[in-house]
Amino acid sequence: MRLSMLQFRSTLGAVDENFDHAARLIARAVDNRADVIVMPELWSTGYYPTPIENYADVDGQRTKKFLSGSARNGGVNIVGGTVIVRDGDRFFNRNYVFDREGQLRTEYDKTHLFSMAGEEKIFTAGARLTSFDLDGVKCSTIVCYDIRFPELSRRLALDGVEILFVAAAWSLRRLEHWQLINRVRAIENQMFVCAVNSAGHSMMIDPWGEVLIEGGAEESVLTVEIELERIKKIRSAMKIFADRHSDLDHV
């Protein structure tokens, strides 16, 4: 499977400009023959403009139309990062995933809100995890701060997820945390972790914890091929799921 990670900083509050920017980068990834395009957190607005109601996508209508058309026209799966969505009188930091036919496969709302940035005062936390298939591979997605909570990733791994997508707007002041935590989640769950950060250092990590590709701080379309059979080889060699002490390790 060939994946392209779109690492870019959006202009704060410039929604039209950011949609145009995303379209250009998606076109580059399609030219790179990507099977899956992966986007960062809050790409349509930047992180995050206020007052939030002036920038939210009502019911995600614009975002869904854009991502669906881009996926269908490019014949590519798109893990669409996140955008600010207004749903009734509440605001969510929401992810959409579309398949090659432009069909919505799933949506996910960030479940852990980053109190250091006051997210809990703005957004409503999501209440469920999600998984989906892309080209026959079981995948899931979480958002930025979610990666600090290992229970989420373990639950998804136990459910058979093989690729975990992480959409982020993670400050590079905490770069070492970003690099270490993503690698640990890949190692302890024996899964691929595809972590896309608008600020830089997006990473693709294999189930043994090897960093297959990592960006710098500049805008990039990072494309990498992954060998899905590697999951089976690693899980059959080191049987951490079979060796769990389920009474003590239950999550």
Side-chain angles (χ1 to χ4, degrees):
M1 177 179 279
R2 189 173 175 86
L3 301 97
S4 283
M5 298 176 279
L6 308 188
Q7 177 179 289
F8 65 104
R9 292 178 182 269
S10 299
T11 302
L12 190 66
V15 175
D16 291 342
E17 177 183 328
N18 294 331
F19 267 87
D20 289 343
H21 193 176
R24 291 192 295 272
L25 294 178
I26 288 171
R28 283 176 57 187
V30 169
D31 288 343
N32 287 344
R33 303 186 307 282
D35 296 303
V36 184
I37 294 172
V38 193
M39 302 172 69
E41 182 182 18
L42 297 184
W43 58 265
S44 66
T45 58
Y47 183 90
Y48 52 85
T50 56
I52 208 80
E53 56 268 23
N54 291 350
Y55 302 94
D57 188 354
V58 177
D59 296 325
Q61 292 179 10
R62 179 176 183 178
T63 303
K64 288 187 285 188
K65 182 178 180 181
F66 170 73
L67 294 176
S68 175
S70 298
R72 184 176 59 254
N73 294 335
V76 65
N77 303 290
I78 298 182
V79 179
T82 71
V83 297
I84 300 167
V85 171
R86 182 168 191 157
D87 191 336
D89 60 355
R90 298 185 298 174
F91 299 92
F92 294 89
N93 189 345
R94 181 168 293 174
N95 164 266
Y96 296 109
V97 177
F98 286 86
D99 64 20
R100 296 178 185 271
E101 287 72 45
Q103 297 299 309
L104 179 65
R105 298 306 304 269
T106 195
E107 57 185 60
Y108 168 77
D109 296 322
K110 186 176 185 178
T111 54
H112 293 81
L113 302 179
F114 189 42
S115 57
M116 281 184 67
E119 288 184 4
E120 81 286 357
K121 300 173 184 177
I122 300 291
F123 297 103
T124 297
R128 65 181 183 88
L129 297 176
T130 185
S131 62
F132 50 93
D133 284 356
L134 293 179
D135 296 348
V137 181
K138 192 165 188 178
C139 306
S140 186
T141 184
I142 59 176
V143 181
C144 204
Y145 192 43
D146 287 336
I147 198 70
R148 288 188 180 269
F149 299 85
E151 302 87 351
L152 268 69
S153 303
R154 177 49 57 91
R155 285 181 59 188
L156 293 167
L158 291 172
D159 192 40
V161 167
E162 296 183 316
I163 305 176
L164 178 65
F165 296 103
V166 185
W170 190 287
S171 171
L172 295 187
R173 293 193 301 273
R174 294 179 290 276
L175 174 59
E176 187 176 9
H177 286 195
W178 168 256
Q179 294 167 321
L180 287 172
I181 293 170
N182 280 301
R183 288 190 68 196
V184 168
R185 296 295 166 265
I187 294 167
E188 69 190 3
N189 294 301
Q190 298 179 327
M191 58 167 54
F192 285 96
V193 173
C194 178
V196 182
N197 186 27
S198 60
H201 289 270
S202 300
M203 308 172 72
M204 171 61 77
I205 307 156
D206 82 355
W208 196 244
E210 179 182 350
V211 178
L212 302 180
I213 192 170
E214 180 176 351
E218 70 283 353
E219 179 177 301
S220 303
V221 175
L222 301 166
T223 300
V224 63
E225 196 98 28
I226 62 172
E227 180 190 348
L228 293 164
E229 285 297 313
R230 187 152 171 75
I231 296 174
K232 295 178 182 177
K233 293 176 184 177
I234 290 171
R235 289 183 178 180
S236 63
M238 184 179 290
K239 300 179 174 63
I240 62 171
F241 299 109
D243 293 342
R244 289 174 68 237
H245 191 322
S246 58
D247 290 341
L248 296 177
D249 300 341
H250 179 71
V251 293

